[in-house]
Amino acid sequence: MTETEQLLARVAAKARNTRPWGWTSLPEPVDAATLARAEATLGFRLPPLLAELYLRIGDGGFGPEYGLLPLLDSPPAGEPAAVVQYLANRASGRQDPDWPWPEGVLPISHWGCAMYACVDCHAPEATVLLFEPNPGDPDRAWFVDAPSLRDWLHAWVDGTGWYDEMNEELEMQPWTDTRIRATPAKAS
């Protein structure tokens, strides 16, 4: 069994046994047609590991805190799906250039208080970023949550994520590519 297969098995086991807030059950995985529709709507491909999570484990509803957002359909708690949230964030960045949303950065999980865990779908390692806008400074709202989606998932299944070990001295590395990657989104 490959390392990816082992990780997916561990994530699947934890997903079957935990329910994030607002979810009563683990939704069925998406099919290949739904994944293709999502990628066509986004204009880019999901990283392979993220695609496998949606194709093999479930259409959201598992993961840290509120869990992964569904790919295209709204979850039971009424939060927008990942694709919908990405498109809304890109549109908002067109309206308010002080708060641009980086191209290819897909919100995958809502932390509450306007905070999101996001995957940089253009990074080969699928870096997981934390968007934390609450201090009010758009140039200091992005942080590297985990160097890769693989690391982020390991932290969740192992119980070692920052959200499990919250402490006052936690300092995340800022992600400084926001403005570089925030090319204007095409008007819909």
Side-chain angles (χ1 to χ4, degrees):
M1 185 181 284
T2 68
E3 181 185 339
T4 297
E5 290 297 323
Q6 290 173 345
L7 177 59
L8 286 168
R10 291 183 66 210
V11 169
K14 188 161 183 173
R16 283 190 301 272
N17 295 313
T18 59
R19 275 298 76 64
W21 181 85
W23 294 86
T24 56
S25 64
L26 183 65
E28 291 296 315
V30 300
D31 57 23
T34 301
L35 177 64
R37 253 185 28 242
E39 291 177 335
T41 302
L42 291 167
F44 56 84
R45 295 185 59 113
L46 297 187
L49 182 56
L50 183 58
E52 289 300 312
L53 293 173
Y54 283 112
L55 288 167
R56 293 170 56 177
I57 297 175
D59 188 15
F62 63 94
E65 297 301 312
Y66 295 130
L68 258 63
L69 298 171
L71 198 52
L72 282 173
D73 299 315
S74 291
E79 184 83 27
V83 171
V84 173
Q85 189 65 54
Y86 173 78
L87 296 174
N89 292 349
R90 293 283 289 158
S92 178
R94 283 193 310 272
Q95 294 170 358
D96 184 356
D98 287 339
W99 284 94
W101 191 267
E103 186 177 335
V105 176
L106 182 68
I108 61 164
S109 184
H110 190 241
W111 290 109
C113 299
M115 296 169 49
Y116 283 92
C118 306
V119 172
D120 183 351
C121 295
H122 292 333
E125 64 281 355
T127 306
V128 177
L129 305 169
L130 173 66
F131 175 66
E132 208 302 49
N134 294 300
D137 184 346
D139 292 323
R140 295 184 179 177
W142 290 95
F143 301 89
V144 175
D145 187 329
S148 70
L149 180 57
R150 180 178 308 281
D151 292 333
W152 192 75
L153 291 168
H154 275 294
W156 177 59
V157 296
D158 295 339
T160 59
W162 61 265
Y163 42 84
D164 288 322
E165 300 181 349
M166 195 60 177
N167 65 56
E168 296 299 319
E169 285 124 41
L170 176 70
E171 287 192 37
M172 289 185 169
Q173 172 189 346
W175 187 65
T176 57
D177 288 354
T178 309
R179 299 266 178 204
I180 296 167
R181 295 276 300 284
T183 58
K186 295 177 186 139
S188 302

